[in-house]
């Protein structure tokens, strides 16, 4: 069994890359399809090709990570028997909430959340914030393993029912 981790955006990919490198994910690089995390919302041609290159008896479990995930994952007919499961891991309301929590500004954000989305509020507390893989990778890389795990657990406490039943949180795929 191989795991295909697909992220909605580059920020989520940066976080997952760091979690993988720091050995915080439940999965080792060798468990992952091509030992990497992919930025992809759907199974594109290149991912389909990578799955087809696996031995015929090897199945794939897909883990989708993002803040929306409202679209259905389209699986080609010839791959349906190779897909063992599909999990949705949700970061809601938005990825930037992780930075807001880390900066200890969640209560401040909460007071004015009707006026600002997390992606707007973040610039008032982190002038240098960039919604890029590089910025987020460097930011999360600087945190200790304990800080990362603590941040994800704190996020879990603060999400306050924003997930649907079919969506899991980031803490379900990390070592605790």
């Amino acid at each position: 069994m191989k795991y295909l981790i697909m992220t909605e955006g580059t920020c989520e990919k940066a976080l997952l890359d760091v979690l993988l490198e720091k050995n915080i994910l439940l999965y080792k690089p060798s468990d992952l399809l091509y030992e990497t995390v992919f930025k992809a919302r759907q199974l594109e041609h290149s991912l389909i090709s990578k799955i087809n290159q696996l031995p015929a008896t090897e199945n794939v479990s897909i883990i989708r990570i993002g803040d929306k995930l409202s679209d259905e994952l389209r699986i080609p007919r010839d791959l349906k028997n190779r897909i063992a499961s599909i999990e949705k891991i949700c970061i809601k309301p938005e990825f930037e909430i992780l930075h807001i929590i880390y900066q200890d500004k969640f209560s401040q954000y909460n007071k004015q959340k009707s006026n600002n989305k997390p992606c707007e509020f973040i610039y008032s507390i982190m002038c240098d914030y960039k919604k890029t893989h590089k910025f987020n990778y460097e930011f999360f890389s600087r945190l200790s393993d304990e800080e990362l795990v603590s941040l994800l657990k704190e996020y879990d406490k603060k999400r306050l029912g924003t997930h649907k039943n079919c969506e899991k949180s980031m803490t379900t795929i990390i070592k605790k």
Side-chain angles (χ1 to χ4, degrees):
M1 169 81 70
K2 288 288 182 187
Y3 294 90
L4 167 58
I5 298 180
M6 300 168 58
T7 66
E8 185 176 60
T10 57
C11 297
E12 293 91 347
K13 181 176 178 351
L15 174 61
L16 269 290
D17 286 345
V18 171
L19 294 174
L20 185 63
E21 288 171 14
K22 289 181 174 268
N23 196 27
I24 295 173
L25 280 180
L26 289 177
Y27 315 103
K28 301 180 299 240
S30 61
D31 295 334
L32 302 183
L33 182 66
Y34 282 82
E35 299 188 359
T36 193
V37 174
F38 294 90
K39 181 204 164 290
R41 288 187 62 84
Q42 289 292 332
L43 289 174
E44 305 154 348
H45 176 71
S46 63
L47 284 176
I48 293 168
S49 176
K50 288 179 186 337
I51 293 170
N52 282 328
Q53 290 173 16
L54 293 172
T57 56
E58 184 137 44
N59 288 333
V60 176
S61 183
I62 298 174
I63 302 166
R64 299 177 73 201
I65 299 170
D67 61 4
K68 291 190 181 65
L69 301 177
S70 55
D71 56 334
E72 254 333 284
L73 184 64
R74 294 182 303 275
I75 302 172
R77 233 180 270 182
D78 61 329
L79 281 187
K80 286 194 187 259
N81 63 337
R82 306 263 328 255
I83 306 302
S85 65
I86 301 171
E87 288 185 61
K88 290 182 180 182
I89 307 292
C90 238
I91 298 179
K92 284 185 181 177
E94 293 176 21
F95 181 82
E96 287 79 10
I97 209 78
L98 290 166
H99 289 283
I100 293 168
I101 292 168
Y102 181 77
Q103 299 294 330
D104 200 24
K105 300 291 185 186
F106 187 78
S107 59
Q108 184 181 339
Y109 163 72
N110 232 9
K111 288 177 188 170
Q112 62 179 36
K113 73 178 176 184
S114 61
N115 299 331
N116 287 324
K117 293 180 178 180
C119 64
E120 297 163 344
F121 179 80
I122 192 71
Y123 292 106
S124 70
I125 61 168
M126 289 178 73
C127 300
D128 62 336
Y129 179 75
K130 293 180 181 67
K131 196 170 188 157
T132 64
H133 182 279
K134 181 180 184 218
F135 179 89
N136 283 284
Y137 179 84
E138 289 172 358
F139 178 86
F140 291 115
S141 290
R142 288 190 300 263
L143 303 182
S144 70
D145 296 7
E146 294 78 23
E147 287 176 307
L148 274 168
V149 170
S150 177
L151 176 62
L152 293 172
K153 287 181 177 181
E154 187 63 24
Y155 167 76
D156 234 15
K157 290 178 191 172
K158 297 196 183 310
R159 61 189 173 91
L160 306 173
T162 58
H163 289 117
K164 298 174 187 169
N165 289 341
C166 64
E167 300 169 339
K168 297 180 180 177
S169 72
M170 286 290 293
T171 57
T172 61
I173 61 168
I174 63 170
K175 297 174 184 174
K176 296 180 179 162

